[in-house]
Amino acid sequence: MAKLNSDELIQMIQDSGAVSLSDLKKLSLKDLEKVLDALRFWCVYSDGDKKKIKKNK
């Protein structure tokens, strides 16, 4: 199973607007927290527009 990092997964979400549970499973706990924070921000402040998801730096 190939490892992903949070930036790669956020880019995948920006491109497709979806994420699979198997992709989330490939993340470390720290990267998972970053992705979930980005999704939480996106849902609350960006009104669901996938172009407004910001990358964590």
Side-chain angles (χ1 to χ4, degrees):
M1 177 167 38
K3 290 285 185 181
L4 285 176
N5 67 33
S6 59
D7 293 332
E8 293 170 338
L9 189 59
I10 291 172
Q11 183 63 43
M12 288 171 52
I13 296 169
Q14 285 176 327
D15 294 341
S16 67
V19 64
S20 71
L21 292 177
S22 62
D23 290 335
L24 291 175
K25 189 175 179 181
K26 295 176 186 177
L27 294 173
S28 68
L29 183 57
K30 183 177 179 181
D31 285 335
L32 181 61
E33 288 176 356
K34 287 180 184 179
V35 170
L36 294 177
D37 285 341
L39 289 175
R40 191 175 306 116
F41 180 86
W42 171 67
C43 290
V44 172
Y45 298 108
S46 302
D47 199 26
D49 185 5
K50 68 181 179 181
K51 294 178 184 175
K52 294 182 181 178
I53 298 175
K54 295 182 180 181
K55 285 188 177 181
N56 292 329
K57 293 182 181 182

